[in-house]
Amino acid sequence: MSRPAKRVAVMISGRGSNMGALVEAAKAPGFPGTIALVLSNKPDAGGLEAAREEGIEAVAIDQKAYASRAEHEEAVAEAIEAAGCEIVCLAGYMRLLTPAFVQRFKGRMINIHPSLLPLFPGLDTHQRALDAGMRVHGCTVHFVTEEMDEGPIIAQAVIPVRPGDNAQNLATRLLGAEHHLYPHALRLVLDGRARMEGERAVIDMEEADGAAMLVSPQAS
Ligand code: GAR
């Protein structure tokens, strides 16, 4: 008997292409989750309108309207819980989270980051990968912990760095890999096949190969 799909909230700050990839993936029959809510800290985030066009509740909770980060996060957390969402996906959500918010969703909140963590946390990941002379670049989906871009790793995808690449085309090619990886990782979490135990991510043996995703140059 199939279990009911878990409700998922996606938090964005911008165009929301990863959110769009999650929405597309969740349309597949049998996908174990439904994207029930899209939230942005920025009212002008392009992804909000895209989500509404898909018939998904999409709300801006403007950080500027709150006196403190904690008050803003309280409103965000209440919206997530009011929508009955159990799982939270950060998808280009570019605001640091307080420990209290992280604790509230511990083991249930995941993030995608455009580098092979623990390399290159933070910003400008593509230029930093180029500057370091990397032959591969990639993206990581991880559980969110109190340290930015540092939580236990669920899945990673790797793309080649080609001669002549610049930060912009590397970012574009990596985004294609992100769109493959994030739905895959979300599915693992929704199914309980990847989970946080203590401070580590545990993944079922039969999923381990798929969680290390080599995206072929053609696909990326
Ligand atoms: C994505 O590349 C995502 O990995 C990155 O922001 C972009 C959002 O694009 N996230 C981070 O840098 C988080 N540290 P999108 O809005 O089109 O999904």
Side-chain angles (χ1 to χ4, degrees):
M1 208 175 66
S2 65
R3 284 169 292 174
K6 286 186 179 152
R7 292 171 71 77
V8 176
V10 184
M11 291 170 59
I12 63 171
S13 297
R15 72 192 155 183
S17 73
N18 275 288
M19 176 275 296
L22 295 175
V23 168
E24 277 308 309
K27 289 178 184 170
F31 191 86
T34 177
I35 310 302
L37 179 67
V38 173
L39 280 174
S40 172
N41 57 327
K42 304 235 160 121
D44 58 356
L48 286 172
E49 199 43 48
R52 286 187 197 116
E53 282 167 15
E54 293 285 341
I56 296 168
E57 184 186 353
V59 282
I61 301 183
D62 188 352
Q63 63 191 56
K64 292 203 189 109
Y66 294 83
S68 68
R69 193 181 294 264
E71 284 167 76
H72 176 249
E73 286 183 353
E74 182 59 31
V76 170
E78 282 173 14
I80 292 168
E81 286 164 3
C85 294
E86 294 174 60
I87 302 286
V88 179
C89 293
L90 305 183
Y93 187 75
M94 303 307 267
R95 192 175 205 217
L96 291 177
L97 298 166
T98 65
F101 189 87
V102 171
Q103 278 301 322
R104 194 156 167 173
F105 297 103
K106 195 168 185 191
R108 301 188 289 126
M109 179 158 58
I110 64 179
N111 178 47
I112 188 157
H113 180 75
S115 77
L116 291 171
L117 291 173
L119 290 173
F120 316 129
L123 299 174
D124 297 326
T125 57
H126 316 296
Q127 190 58 53
R128 287 158 68 203
L130 288 170
D131 291 347
M134 297 285 291
R135 293 285 176 224
V136 294
H137 188 35
C139 51
T140 303
V141 177
H142 64 94
F143 287 107
V144 176
T145 56
E146 291 171 18
E147 303 306 321
M148 184 190 67
D149 299 331
E150 266 201 19
I153 292 168
I154 300 164
Q156 293 184 303
V158 178
I159 65 167
V161 176
R162 295 178 182 147
D165 268 341
N166 58 37
Q168 202 173 355
N169 66 23
L170 201 51
T172 303
R173 290 207 339 273
L174 186 61
L175 199 61
E178 293 186 43
H179 295 166
H180 285 287
L181 186 72
Y182 210 177
H184 176 72
L186 174 60
R187 185 189 270 271
L188 292 181
V189 171
L190 288 166
D191 281 342
R193 288 180 288 158
R195 53 204 175 270
M196 205 163 144
E197 288 182 7
E199 297 308 310
R200 294 195 66 82
V202 173
I203 189 154
D204 289 351
M205 179 58 105
E206 58 271 26
E207 308 303 337
D209 286 1
M213 202 178 267
L214 291 170
V215 177
S216 75
Q218 288 79 8
S220 67

